Amino acid sequence: MNTKPTSFLVFINGAIEHAEVNDFDDLYLRFSYVIGKDWKICSGLEEGTTQIAHKSVQIGSKIVFNFPLEATFRSTNPFGWPQLVISGYGLDVFGNDIVRGYGTTHIPISPGRHRIRIPLFVPRSSSKFQQLLAWFFGRRPEFIDPKVIAFNAGREMTRVRSHGYIQVVFNVVTKDIEELGYRIESKHPSHTSQQQFDNNETPYKKVDTCTSDIDQYTQTFQPDETACWSADKTSNSLPSSSQASSLSLLSISSPPSLSIQTSLPSSALLVA
Amino acid sequence: MAEVHVIGQILGASGFPESSLFCKWKVQIGSAWRVLQGDHEGQTQVDEPSDKPMANWCHPIDLHFATRGLQGWPKFHLQVWHQDLYGRNELYSYGFCHIPISPGSHEIDCVTWRPKGSLLEELKTQFIGGSSQLKNPDLVSSSAELYKLRTVSMGKIHLRLHVIVRNFDKYGVEF
């Protein structure tokens, strides 16, 4: 008896490895998953808090968490794919608990092992005076519900400052997603031209697999071929920066609701 | 009907002369396509990075299309805007990017350009701010009309997209 499955499962495990930040020495993270309405978390913690971690004088500028993540999701529809939302907090010089940064990534879709670097960003105060008050009283602008950063709506009102990264490792396995007719990988990986790589410009580019400094770039260790997008010849085409053998998947999970106390000044469009 | 899911992020931008940038994005589809779920346009946060000259937006993209044909495969129209310290917004550049056709994960760099004005207009841009804008922003992906423009290169927008397809094999499409 072989009944067709009606839903698929995504099983992930992994860890929040470390944070690379320059401005401060200690950090703790709260994480949560934001999922669409067709999704359900079958097992695993849907939200949690890491330990309070400090930098080590000897090791350098990394704050190591090594915090385990494990979850199973069930769904009928890839829309609303889970996102991991991370919010970082710490103590400032006056002893107040302040927000250090938010970050979000989609859970990787292709099965395999993925290392993802999530940039951290923190809301900015509206003006220098507000910034001074915030620093003095310890009431920095923060999102009421960090899950807001996982959504599209309302982001245009937020002004942020990005600093630092969080390195996360995911191992992903899916079940029955092909049975439901979804193709998540291509049979024929396309080859990209590698001359467009310009390592000075961006940390998002993938590098050659085994020899690279794996802390700098994200890498995946998928056993099957990965699909890359080769540059086409039109004038505004985008050369894909993926390499034939490695593909990094970054997904940012949306944080819970966002409230911003800063207000945008009225802006006028200038047209020459 | 075949379905396409696009899940990913507009990661950020690099290579622009100033920081404090945001991006307005919009998905353009052909007549055989329909957006079933997800927002087809939006605007990212304004990011001013503290260390590297690279704006981080981390803007989630989650789109679900239904289609009857391959023509008109969705593409992103992207505009990078700059917000200065007085809160004024000026257009920095335009770019477009096809959503990759093959299922799987893709890291995409979208190169961008801005229209170049006359000498007087360029001087104005330099000293006062503001920039020339296209009257019809959909021109960025129209192959037939771009010959009329004179443009200047700007930086790159970085996207990470994962494409999932469904039911295309019923129509004989090979990926």
Side-chain angles (χ1 to χ4, degrees), chain A residues 243-272:
Chain A
Q243 295 193 354
S245 54
S246 67
L247 194 62
S248 61
L249 283 175
L250 264 179
S251 58
I252 299 189
S253 52
S254 45
S257 54
L258 174 67
S259 70
I260 300 187
Q261 303 166 16
T262 64
S263 59
L264 275 179
S266 60
S267 50
L269 278 177
L270 293 178
V271 179

Side-chain angles (χ1 to χ4, degrees), chain A residues 152 204-205 238 249-250 252, chain B residues 9 56 59 97 105 109 160:
Chain A
N152 173 44
Y204 299 123
K205 292 206 197 289
L238 321 161
L249 283 175
L250 264 179
I252 299 189
Chain B
Q9 286 192 332
N56 287 314
H59 193 88
C97 154
S105 178
D109 287 346
R160 183 177 281 128

Side-chain angles (χ1 to χ4, degrees), chain A residues 198-211:
Chain A
D198 183 4
N199 284 330
N200 296 330
E201 276 196 32
T202 167
Y204 299 123
K205 292 206 197 289
K206 297 183 294 271
V207 296
D208 274 323
T209 45
C210 310
T211 57

Side-chain angles (χ1 to χ4, degrees), chain A residues 77 80 110 124 152 155 158-162 180 183 203-205 227 236 238 248-250 252 267 269, chain B residues 9 37 39 45-48 50 54 56 59 62 81 87 97 105 107 109-110 113 160 162 165-166:
Chain A
N77 183 3
S110 327
R124 273 188 279 157
N152 173 44
R155 300 291 291 279
T158 64
R159 297 189 325 159
V160 299
R161 193 172 60 94
S162 60
L180 290 175
R183 285 278 309 281
Y204 299 123
K205 292 206 197 289
N236 287 326
L238 321 161
S248 61
L249 283 175
L250 264 179
I252 299 189
S267 50
L269 278 177
Chain B
Q9 286 192 332
Q37 291 172 298
D39 298 320
Q45 62 203 14
V46 181
D47 181 45
E48 176 157 25
S50 68
M54 199 166 337
N56 287 314
H59 193 88
D62 203 337
W81 290 71
C97 154
S105 178
E107 294 239 344
D109 287 346
C110 175
W113 49 268
R160 183 177 281 128
H162 196 109
V165 299
R166 189 182 195 211

Side-chain angles (χ1 to χ4, degrees), chain A residues 22-23 37-38 76-81 83 103-110 116-122 124 143 148-165 177 180-188 190 196-198 200-206 216 218 222 226-229 232 234-242 247-254 264-272, chain B residues 3 5 7-9 11-15 20 24-25 37-64 81 83-91 94-113 121 124-125 128-133 140-141 143 146 155-156 158-169 173-175:
Chain A
N22 293 323
D23 305 336
K37 56 179 174 48
D38 293 325
T76 54
N77 183 3
F79 182 75
W81 197 277
Q83 301 183 61
T104 174
T105 182
H106 280 285
I107 305 291
I109 298 180
S110 327
I116 296 174
R117 253 173 130 221
I118 306 176
L120 279 179
F121 54 84
V122 65
R124 273 188 279 157
F143 295 145
V148 147
I149 67 171
F151 297 105
N152 173 44
R155 300 291 291 279
E156 62 264 16
M157 293 293 131
T158 64
R159 297 189 325 159
V160 299
R161 193 172 60 94
S162 60
H163 59 173
Y165 295 92
I177 202 169
L180 290 175
Y182 292 102
R183 285 278 309 281
I184 56 179
E185 287 291 318
S186 161
K187 277 195 285 237
H188 312 284
S190 46
Q196 287 97 354
F197 274 24
D198 183 4
N200 296 330
E201 276 196 32
T202 167
Y204 299 123
K205 292 206 197 289
K206 297 183 294 271
Q216 289 293 316
T218 63
Q222 297 174 6
T226 57
C228 309
W229 188 62
D232 61 329
T234 61
S235 51
N236 287 326
S237 65
L238 321 161
S240 76
S241 59
S242 53
L247 194 62
S248 61
L249 283 175
L250 264 179
S251 58
I252 299 189
S253 52
S254 45
L264 275 179
S266 60
S267 50
L269 278 177
L270 293 178
V271 179
Chain B
E3 294 170 37
H5 288 265
I7 296 170
Q9 286 192 332
L11 293 171
S14 63
S20 190
K24 289 192 189 181
W25 63 274
Q37 291 172 298
D39 298 320
H40 63 278
E41 62 183 5
Q43 187 175 320
T44 68
Q45 62 203 14
V46 181
D47 181 45
E48 176 157 25
S50 68
D51 37 10
K52 293 191 188 57
M54 199 166 337
N56 287 314
W57 296 319
C58 303
H59 193 88
I61 302 277
D62 203 337
L63 288 159
H64 184 191
W81 290 71
Q83 187 176 87
D84 65 10
L85 47 101
Y86 307 113
R88 302 179 302 179
N89 294 333
E90 59 175 343
L91 174 83
Y94 295 101
F96 98 95
C97 154
H98 273 113
I99 290 178
I101 299 191
S102 44
S105 178
H106 308 271
E107 294 239 344
I108 298 168
D109 287 346
C110 175
V111 294
T112 60
W113 49 268
E121 285 164 2
K124 266 200 225 168
T125 304
I128 306 179
S131 53
S132 310
Q133 296 183 11
V140 293
S141 65
S143 344
L146 284 173
K156 287 190 198 168
H158 307 284
L159 301 110
R160 183 177 281 128
L161 297 175
H162 196 109
V163 176
I164 300 178
V165 299
R166 189 182 195 211
N167 291 338
F168 273 91
D169 42 358
V173 176
E174 298 132 2
F175 285 107

Side-chain angles (χ1 to χ4, degrees), chain A residues 70-118:
Chain A
E70 207 171 309
T72 310
F73 303 94
R74 179 184 291 277
S75 173
T76 54
N77 183 3
F79 182 75
W81 197 277
Q83 301 183 61
L84 177 71
V85 168
I86 292 182
S87 18
Y89 303 91
L91 290 181
D92 69 354
V93 70
F94 296 110
N96 300 314
D97 198 31
I98 56 163
V99 65
R100 298 274 195 210
Y102 298 96
T104 174
T105 182
H106 280 285
I107 305 291
I109 298 180
S110 327
R113 185 167 190 264
H114 312 274
R115 299 192 66 197
I116 296 174
R117 253 173 130 221
I118 306 176

Side-chain angles (χ1 to χ4, degrees), chain B residues 4-36:
Chain B
V4 176
H5 288 265
V6 181
I7 296 170
Q9 286 192 332
I10 303 180
L11 293 171
S14 63
F16 285 90
E18 300 265 343
S19 50
S20 190
L21 304 169
F22 64 95
C23 175
K24 289 192 189 181
W25 63 274
K26 185 172 81 145
V27 172
Q28 191 93 344
I29 50 179
S31 52
W33 291 75
R34 216 159 39 96
V35 177
L36 291 180

